[in-house]
Amino acid sequence: MQRTVFYISDGTGITVETLGHSLITQFSNISFNTITLPYINQPDKAKQVVETINQHVEQDGQKPIILATLADHAIRAIIAESQGILFEFFSIFLDPLANALNCKFTHTVGKMHSIANYKHYKHRMAAIHFALACDDGLNTQQYHKADLILMGASRTGKTPTCLYLAMQFGIHAANYPLIPTELPRVGLPQALKPWQDKLFGITIDPHRLHQIRTERRANSSYASLTTCLNDIQSIEHLYQTYHIHYLDTSKRSIEEISTIILDKMAISRKLQ
Amino acid sequence: MQRTVFYISDGTGITVETLGHSLITQFSNISFNTITLPYINQPDKAKQVVETINQHVEQDGQKPIILATLADHAIRAIIAESQGILFEFFSIFLDPLANALNCKFTHTVGKMHSIANYKHYKHRMAAIHFALACDDGLNTQQYHKADLILMGASRTGKTPTCLYLAMQFGIHAANYPLIPTELPRVGLPQALKPWQDKLFGITIDPHRLHQIRTERRANSSYASLTTCLNDIQSIEHLYQTYHIHYLDTSKRSIEEISTIILDKMAISRKLQ
């Protein structure tokens, strides 16, 4: 079964895409064809969108679903005249929310993803640049500024996780590669010792690590299952010895890894 | 006026945070104290959350707002017994959506931000690694793989934009720093010439650029307003000469810059 879904917004479309996606993934029997149309902020654009939707009614032989965030009443009214089935988030939520808050709302288009203030913007940029500067064991002398230091074997998703934490939550996250063969001899690397409260360990299913490394260097000793098994064993032993929180990232997305880490480390998060 | 808002989820909490934030920013008279509680996926955890909410009723002297995405009915029922004012997105949307789709939903917790499949996961990771490998003019020999090449002066947000495009949409975006003093003489840099269809230009208000550069190297010739004015003039002249789409990023967030670029370049987007 196939169904067309339009994500329509007068802003970036990120909010409607996020909520819409979380709704449609609850219908696993249907294959969705999603079309995102952002910046529909002029009546002319909105009228064109209505035409596109109506063409799909004919083409698909059924009404498309329209999920929309449209703060502007005039644009909303135009889209409402299409033949699709419209769910417009602001009209559904804002009135009951205004009642609950006992306060009027302001109808500001695209406020969510605009630059709220320069200080806030700088904080987020600083976090992104920190993640880049402190990637892969670089610049350990900056660890006093870190909210969090991720450690783990190579190719286990440390870099993307640090970048996501910076981008989404403004967290200063560094990452440090563990060299498993050294661990039994040296224990916790010197550079990490002063920062034990900030450490979080990444681990992974050795078979998954073997698969990932094989794609990079097939048939190498680095990629062999034996190496991967030994590496993960040494690493998990280190985490246990030093009572470091850790997480198996094998079947987790960057979003899951990032939010589980913040939860386990009790770091409070603020959407950027 | 101050108000406590809880974002509660049985998954990562990213969806509820995103939608919630876009709703509360419509009430500009109220100062919100937001608390995100993710992974509320056990009755015990849910009961603890209810206690926390009820404590806030007393402490704040008014009922907190609860915005929630809870796919699990049992958890939802527990949270519903708190004294806060609950808006639970799935219960509001899933029934009408199921009607519109003429299909039942599956009540899967945390499906949105899980790894949908390995191929998809690899594509996203590849995009992130591409952005890092092709940052700041590196590895121009890989431009045949790029969906997009961002160009502009230094410190105008090219790197974070490329990383966001990779993370959020799986777009392969490279970035290339323009050296404004060279432009009048050499025109479009040699490395970019074969890829004119993929180019997108970044520009910025010279006064804003002056402010950003001054924070890095105060009183330098690089940061002086005269240099910034000349730099931006040369760069915009280049864009106009070669008919390159461009955008002033001065007052825009990374989300806005990224989505406007995709819109102007007619690159279709898929939420990762």
Side-chain angles (χ1 to χ4, degrees), chain B residues 75-92:
Chain B
I75 303 291
R76 202 188 287 170
I78 296 170
I79 301 294
E81 290 191 357
S82 87
Q83 295 167 42
I85 303 169
L86 176 64
F87 296 85
E88 199 287 308
F89 295 140
F90 288 142
S91 61
I92 292 169

Side-chain angles (χ1 to χ4, degrees), chain A residues 125-142:
Chain A
M125 286 295 179
I128 295 169
H129 287 292
F130 184 85
L132 292 169
C134 295
D135 186 32
D136 207 31
L138 292 172
N139 290 311
T140 56
Q141 77 282 3
Q142 289 193 35

Side-chain angles (χ1 to χ4, degrees), chain A residues 65-128:
Chain A
I65 306 292
I66 308 166
L67 301 175
T69 47
L70 296 164
D72 184 320
H73 275 282
I75 303 291
R76 202 188 286 171
I78 295 170
I79 301 293
E81 290 191 358
S82 86
Q83 295 167 42
I85 303 169
L86 176 63
F87 296 85
E88 200 285 308
F89 295 139
F90 288 142
S91 60
I92 292 169
F93 282 106
L94 282 183
D95 279 332
L97 200 55
N99 264 336
L101 291 167
N102 194 21
C103 176
K104 286 191 174 165
F105 48 91
T106 44
H107 281 298
T108 321
V109 174
K111 195 153 182 182
M112 163 66 177
H113 290 106
S114 62
I115 296 187
N117 64 56
Y118 186 54
K119 193 180 147 201
H120 185 84
Y121 169 85
K122 280 209 303 180
H123 175 78
R124 187 186 196 190
M125 286 295 179
I128 295 169

Side-chain angles (χ1 to χ4, degrees), chain B residues 22 39 46 61 88 96 107 109 118 123 137 148 176 207 222 242 260:
Chain B
S22 91
Y39 299 109
E88 199 287 308
H107 281 298
V109 174
Y118 187 55
H123 175 79
L148 184 72
Y176 191 93
H207 296 85
Y222 160 84
Y242 287 88
I260 291 171

Side-chain angles (χ1 to χ4, degrees), chain B residues 6-269:
Chain B
F6 286 93
Y7 297 138
I8 299 175
S9 171
D10 42 20
T12 65
I14 293 167
T15 302
V16 66
E17 241 171 15
T18 306
L19 183 65
H21 200 70
S22 91
L23 290 172
I24 67 173
T25 47
Q26 298 285 322
F27 295 89
S28 47
N29 298 329
I30 303 179
S31 152
F32 290 97
N33 170 34
T34 64
I35 300 167
T36 304
L37 302 173
Y39 299 109
I40 306 304
N41 46 17
Q42 303 288 341
D44 280 0
K45 282 191 184 178
K47 283 173 194 160
Q48 235 179 318
V49 167
V50 170
E51 273 182 40
T52 309
I53 294 167
N54 292 348
Q55 280 164 12
H56 267 271
V57 176
E58 247 176 74
Q59 197 179 303
D60 299 357
Q62 56 188 350
K63 295 179 178 179
I65 305 293
I66 308 166
L67 303 175
T69 47
L70 296 164
D72 185 321
H73 275 282
I75 303 291
R76 202 188 287 170
I78 296 170
I79 301 294
E81 290 191 357
S82 87
Q83 295 167 42
I85 303 169
L86 176 64
F87 296 85
E88 199 287 308
F89 295 140
F90 288 142
S91 61
I92 292 169
F93 282 106
L94 281 182
D95 279 331
L97 200 54
N99 264 336
L101 291 167
N102 194 22
C103 176
K104 287 191 174 166
F105 49 91
T106 44
H107 281 298
T108 321
V109 174
K111 198 155 181 177
M112 163 67 178
H113 290 105
S114 63
I115 295 187
N117 65 55
Y118 187 55
K119 195 180 146 202
H120 187 84
Y121 169 84
K122 281 208 305 184
H123 175 79
R124 187 187 196 191
M125 286 295 178
I128 295 169
H129 287 291
F130 184 85
L132 292 170
C134 295
D135 186 33
D136 207 32
L138 292 171
N139 291 310
T140 57
Q141 77 282 4
Q142 289 192 34
Y143 280 5
H144 61 284
K145 287 194 233 164
D147 297 311
L148 184 72
I149 302 162
L150 270 190
M151 53 202 279
S154 71
R155 313 305 303 173
T156 52
K158 297 188 300 299
T159 300
T161 301
C162 288
L163 288 170
Y164 186 82
L165 284 165
M167 193 92 74
Q168 184 82 1
F169 301 118
I171 300 285
H172 281 57
N175 77 79
Y176 191 93
L178 294 177
I179 300 164
T181 48
E182 282 183 9
L183 299 180
R185 191 169 40 82
V186 303
L188 191 66
Q190 207 60 41
L192 301 178
K193 278 193 181 151
W195 312 110
Q196 293 195 39
D197 289 352
K198 299 183 178 186
L199 300 180
F200 192 95
I202 297 292
T203 189
I204 194 170
D205 177 344
H207 296 85
R208 177 69 187 270
L209 186 60
H210 168 59
Q211 179 190 10
I212 295 171
R213 288 183 174 178
T214 298
E215 282 167 19
R216 284 173 67 86
R217 294 195 222 156
N219 305 318
S220 66
S221 139
Y222 160 84
S224 76
L225 185 58
T226 312
T227 302
C228 292
L229 283 163
N230 287 336
D231 281 5
I232 294 305
Q233 195 184 27
S234 300
I235 284 173
E236 293 188 358
H237 182 254
L238 179 86
Y239 297 157
Q240 286 152 10
T241 309
Y242 287 88
H243 307 290
I244 294 166
H245 283 292
Y246 69 97
L247 178 68
D248 181 337
T249 63
S250 308
K251 286 186 181 161
R252 297 188 197 275
S253 69
I254 302 171
E255 285 82 354
E256 289 174 317
I257 299 168
S258 301
T259 54
I260 291 171
I261 291 171
L262 295 183
D263 198 40
K264 290 204 179 189
M265 297 290 277
I267 295 174
S268 73
R269 57 196 246 193

